[in-house]
Amino acid sequence: MASSVMPVQVCIARPEERICPPWCLCAVLLFGALYGLVHTALRLSFSHNLSLDDASANVLGQTLALGYQERQPPLYEWLLWSVQQLTGPGLTGFLLIKYSLLTATFVFLYLAAQRLFEDRRWVVIASLSPLLLYQIGWNLHEGVTHSLAMTCAIAASFWAFMRLVESGRLGDYVLFGVVAGIGLLTKYGFAAYLIILCVCALIQPTLRARLFDRRMLASVALAAAIVAPFGYWLIANDHDLVRVFDSTVAPMASDRLTATMTGLAFASWAPLGFLFPLDLILLVMFPALLREGWSRIKQGVLPRDRAQAGPDWPLLLLHMTLAGFVFLFLGAVLTGASNYLERYMHPFFFLTPLWLLWVAAQDAPARRPVAIGAVLLAVTLAVVPIRAVYLARAMGPDCNHCRLAVPYEGLAQELEARGFGGGTLIVMDRNDGGNLRRFLPEARIVSLRRPYHLPPVRPQDLTAPAVVVWRPARRAGLWSLAAPAIRQIDGQVVGNPRAVHVPWTPLGSASEPQAWEWRIAFVQPSAGSRR
């Protein structure tokens, strides 16, 4: 059977082999490392600037805390803080985390796929299949932090659950509990994945017996212990997760009918968008896959005797995929959830490619995995030059947001030249705060908007000059937002705001020099003025 259990293949399976066989776990590890190195080198060759989520995380990760913001659990910031003790607050640490998590995801998918496929070629293809999802193969490179940590936790927890079912040892229950607890600290969506996994596992007697084993209490206790510090932080600070859900997933809930209809529509096509282009590639290459898949779905939902000798992993993946749709539909109907974006689909459909590939592998000719592998490799390689063009445009005179091109080093030098040292730096823009921290690592960064972050005051902040930095077009509400941070250090604005112009030459020898403009205002703490 295609779902039979297979032992883990390692590179030293036979002493006479001096190189790793092409389809073993070591090949996946090597591929992940090489993939990360190529994209790291590509990114660093154009710009060291942080953008989007990376900039926000760099602001939040200044200190180690039980929690940072109610809209996201803190695991990624904890990981970032730990890595930055070695790498500093620059882009290198972010890239190290990103591609290490991605490689770990490949590895856990490989370990899970061994339970699905007898042909090791399909195992490797399944482990690397996330690269055929737009949200991972492309979107991951610039704007993904917590979601990637959750993705890795999903793959790891599914593998840990497989081990638990197969052996039933206490150590496997402990492993599952630890991984589940870690996953719950990545993103709230992981809880939805965990619910779907456990509910769908109840359908199969073998899996149900493992779930109802008293040793599962050890899993629950460990997961609860891991999550408890963050839970305490949420309660102690009166954070409201219902408000987070309403603002993030159900922003239209006040108009329930419109919200429900919108949610049902998004729930129908967002999963297909999340699986793109893998779903399209499989349908184009193997048109019979649609008929075969539909047949498997009908077999999976019809009542039948499920008292088989062992677990049916493809059936579990099918049930989890169907349950993902049901979960989204129920959310739309019961809560008015409507903001079902493709980038939110990881908890529901990240494991679906394993089932799609399993269907494609049934009674497949020997050349089929070769064909899919060739497409996967071609798409992966094509991303590199396309991304190089994208990065070049982001650094050129016609860039859109130009986040990668902003001359933050020049801005930091201007601030230092005007008397700013290691005091408090108050910014309106998260990109300014996250990137200035690269050049002013001793500064205490206060972010006034998304995320609003007010770090603890250090003794030097009460005496060292502080500075407020903003862009002319983004000053609305500046001083009312900055007031709490200024009061924290008992400060007083000194003088009038001053303009800072930092020159920048766009990428390309024919480009004319340009300048970026900021406004700055110095704040003198009262303790510092008395010295």
Side-chain angles (χ1 to χ4, degrees):
M1 292 179 61
S3 60
S4 59
V5 177
M6 297 179 62
V8 175
Q9 300 284 345
V10 295
C11 286
I12 56 174
R14 294 195 298 271
E16 67 271 20
E17 291 183 346
R18 295 185 177 276
I19 61 173
C20 177
W23 300 107
C24 77
L25 179 58
C26 287
V28 174
L29 277 168
L30 181 62
F31 183 92
L34 181 61
Y35 183 88
L37 286 173
V38 169
H39 282 279
T40 295
L42 179 64
R43 178 63 163 82
L44 293 175
S45 66
F46 281 92
S47 172
H48 286 244
N49 280 8
L50 306 175
S51 64
L52 300 173
D53 294 341
D54 288 344
S56 297
N58 213 26
V59 172
L60 298 172
Q62 298 173 76
T63 57
L64 188 61
L66 293 181
Y68 299 90
Q69 51 179 342
E70 62 180 358
R71 65 186 300 271
Q72 297 281 19
L75 182 73
Y76 184 84
E77 281 76 22
W78 291 351
L79 184 59
L80 179 65
W81 182 89
S82 302
V83 170
Q84 287 187 344
Q85 304 310 300
L86 299 175
T87 65
L91 179 61
T92 302
F94 288 88
L95 296 176
L96 178 62
I97 293 173
K98 185 189 299 286
Y99 295 111
S100 295
L101 286 173
L102 183 60
T103 300
T105 302
F106 293 157
V107 169
F108 289 125
L109 288 177
Y110 181 97
L111 297 173
Q114 286 187 123
R115 277 84 173 171
L116 296 169
F117 304 96
E118 294 179 352
D119 188 332
R120 214 183 320 176
R121 296 176 299 175
W122 283 106
V123 174
V124 173
I125 290 170
S127 69
L128 302 178
S129 61
L131 296 179
L132 290 178
L133 306 179
Y134 172 83
Q135 293 298 325
I136 295 176
W138 177 264
N139 211 34
L140 168 144
H141 296 295
E142 289 299 332
V144 178
T145 51
H146 299 82
S147 293
L148 181 55
M150 179 180 64
T151 298
C152 184
I154 289 172
S157 62
F158 191 72
W159 163 71
F161 183 72
M162 286 176 151
R163 284 175 53 99
L164 179 156
V165 170
E166 291 168 354
S167 70
R169 295 173 299 193
L170 177 61
D172 292 312
Y173 280 94
V174 169
L175 175 64
F176 179 70
V178 170
V179 176
I182 292 173
L184 290 169
L185 290 175
T186 58
K187 291 194 75 168
Y188 297 124
F190 185 86
Y193 153 78
L194 209 56
I195 292 171
I196 290 172
L197 171 64
C198 293
V199 170
C200 292
L202 294 175
I203 299 174
Q204 299 186 39
T206 303
L207 278 58
R208 184 168 63 246
R210 295 301 194 200
L211 283 178
F212 288 143
D213 191 295
R214 62 183 180 182
R215 285 169 291 188
M216 182 58 73
L217 293 174
S219 300
V220 175
L222 282 168
I226 291 171
V227 175
F230 178 59
Y232 167 78
W233 179 84
L234 287 173
I235 296 171
N237 291 276
D238 296 323
H239 290 302
D240 186 353
L241 295 187
V242 174
R243 183 179 63 215
V244 173
F245 177 85
D246 289 342
S247 63
T248 305
V249 185
M252 303 168 57
S254 57
D255 184 353
R256 178 55 68 87
L257 180 60
T258 301
T260 297
M261 297 306 295
T262 302
L264 291 175
F266 274 59
S268 300
W269 65 262
L272 301 179
F274 173 76
L275 296 171
F276 180 84
L278 175 62
D279 49 3
L280 181 61
I281 290 172
L282 291 177
L283 287 176
V284 170
M285 294 182 67
F286 316 113
L289 184 65
L290 188 61
R291 182 179 66 252
E292 179 66 20
W294 179 244
S295 174
R296 298 284 177 177
I297 291 173
K298 291 190 294 184
Q299 295 175 23
V301 299
L302 291 176
R304 62 187 175 96
D305 181 15
R306 303 191 188 281
Q308 68 273 17
D312 189 335
W313 299 121
L315 184 63
L316 176 62
L317 289 170
L318 170 60
H319 287 158
M320 291 176 66
T321 297
L322 297 177
F325 281 100
V326 173
F327 198 101
L328 296 177
F329 289 144
L330 287 177
V333 172
L334 299 179
T335 70
S338 59
N339 198 29
Y340 290 147
L341 303 181
E342 295 169 12
R343 64 176 182 268
Y344 296 157
M345 295 295 107
H346 299 71
F348 310 103
F349 303 105
F350 176 69
L351 296 177
T352 299
L354 296 180
W355 182 77
L356 292 174
L357 291 169
W358 179 82
V359 174
Q362 302 309 296
D363 301 319
R367 65 179 181 275
R368 180 170 291 184
V370 177
I372 296 180
V375 171
L376 190 153
L377 183 61
V379 171
T380 302
L381 292 175
V383 166
V384 177
I386 295 173
R387 188 165 175 242
V389 173
Y390 166 82
L391 291 171
R393 289 180 60 87
M395 297 288 293
D398 299 323
C399 59
N400 187 8
H401 296 291
C402 305
R403 297 185 186 99
L404 302 185
V406 180
Y408 285 111
E409 184 175 8
L411 175 59
Q413 291 172 350
E414 284 286 338
L415 293 176
E416 289 180 315
R418 298 182 186 220
F420 179 74
T424 298
L425 175 61
I426 304 172
V427 298
M428 279 287 282
D429 188 290
R430 59 174 174 168
N431 292 293
D432 292 348
N435 280 284
L436 285 172
R437 185 173 171 238
R438 295 163 42 217
F439 302 102
L440 303 169
E442 300 302 320
R444 168 179 169 263
I445 311 291
V446 173
S447 176
L448 302 181
R449 281 183 179 167
R450 198 186 175 201
Y452 179 81
H453 185 57
L454 207 60
V457 176
R458 307 164 302 179
Q460 61 265 38
D461 298 324
L462 298 175
T463 57
V467 66
V468 184
V469 178
W470 70 95
R471 304 187 191 190
R474 302 176 187 176
R475 62 163 298 165
L478 168 65
W479 295 111
S480 61
L481 291 170
I486 295 175
R487 285 197 300 268
Q488 261 193 331
I489 58 175
D490 193 16
Q492 184 75 31
V493 176
V494 179
N496 295 320
R498 286 170 274 179
V500 174
H501 296 87
V502 181
W504 165 63
T505 302
L507 185 67
S509 57
S511 301
E512 294 294 329
Q514 301 179 17
W516 286 78
E517 182 180 3
W518 286 270
R519 295 287 188 273
I520 65 172
F522 275 87
V523 176
Q524 182 63 52
S526 60
S529 63
R530 293 193 296 266
R531 295 182 63 182

